[in-house]
Amino acid sequence: MTTYVLKRALLMIPTIIGVSMVLWLLLTNTPGSGGGGTQDEAQSTKGKVTGGGESQRIFRAQYNLDKPLFFNDYVDLTPEMILEKIRTAIDKTLLFKDRNKASDKLRDWGYFAVPHLVTCLGMTEDVNERGALLNRLAKNAKRITPASMGKTVSPEDRQQNREIQSENDEIRTRFALQSLEPAELDEKTEMWRKWHQDRKERWEWSAGERRKIQWLNTKFARYWANLIRLDFGYSHLFRRPVLDLIFERMRISFALAVTSLILAYLISIPLGIWSATAHGSIPERGVSIVLFMLYSLPSFFAATLVLKYFGVEFKMIPVLGFESDDTFPMTSWEHLKDIGWHIIGPVFCMTYASLAALSRYAKSGLLNVIRADYVRTARAKGLSERVVILKHAARNGIISVITLLATTLPIVIGGSVVIESVFQIPGMGSLLLDAIFGNDFNIVIGVQMITAVLTMIGILFADILYAVVDPRISYS
């Protein structure tokens, strides 16, 4: 058994890698993942040059969407490449998608393009091109601090962050282009040349630094580096680390899912055994009809009825939430009772639909077993029907129910979107729903990765239980 478990655990590694690759491909190719939607590099309105996208730039940097896939060639940029993209971005005779694509590329080149943008200022006399270059410089020259990306900064980094913020504020105020007048263009050009001259060592990379940027500063490398550290990034919706959010919400979904799961199995397995022994009788048929009626009742409809009548009309259960607003003065036992009182409605709605399916599986499995030779032999020995069913038949008959148990662990992390939404419970289901609608890709990836791991653990757990309940199964 130990050898089998170790082999299955090792097989999980390539499976996790495969799941990670699929999630990475989805992340890098999902519409709305920060690509597109930018404006032309220079928009002239009543003599003003405007531009935006700072928040989008931070968003793309946080998710590594501004980096190449596998090989970072941004260290090999040339002024000619920059000037070509600038001219494409401001050429009104071209299609909008072509101009927008050029603008996106200039944005993604980011800090790497700064020295070449400065050089390009001396390569053209066209006021629109110079205005676009100056406008792009005012964006790309701003550095992004770890704090703006939601990363925890050490006390040693805070001084550097303050210096970066001070420099960004100076760029935002002193270097911003207000018009396309030649005098202002010349003034801003000279300011940028001096600014770059004072900081040119930032772009003087050694051969080793260039190789590091080329191979490690990419979407693929950054994604796997974060994954190995179990760093799922920072939620831009909740302004918190994703892993902290998942663990916080998981305890809520765990309480709901595990309570529902235990109740469903405690009720459905005895019910399935009784249904098999009383197969075809009028009481058994009546119970089957009731169970299938419950199974066909949509959970959102049942949750709404429970909420309306038992919560609002009769005031038998709390209306919404996972716990009371003020739990600070409660003792641990009082807090536990408060949570139990709040989850009565949600747990009922998550449990009733499982009863029909689980009890039917238990019944059909037992019906196949009670006709087996060893069961007839047990009866021939004079054992009571109770002992025959519970000791000899039931253990082997619930194999199919154990198979279903293997798929229930992901429910703990996935939560119930519908139930949590109706009862306004801040669990994993509502977290995932908010992340999907809010394009919070880090949360989606974190939830899906943990769901994949729990699925594999559930399958392994079911395999172990097979050997426990059925002596004929051995993994040695």
Side-chain angles (χ1 to χ4, degrees), residues 13 39 43 45 155 372:
I13 297 176
Q39 298 178 349
Q43 297 178 347
T45 307

Side-chain angles (χ1 to χ4, degrees), residues 380-409:
K381 290 180 178 179
L383 298 176
S384 66
E385 187 67 14
R386 178 185 178 88
V387 173
V388 170
I389 294 298
L390 295 181
K391 184 176 180 180
H392 295 277
R395 290 180 62 183
N396 301 332
I398 62 173
I399 294 292
S400 57
V401 179
I402 293 176
T403 303
L404 290 178
L405 179 63
T407 62
T408 55
L409 272 181

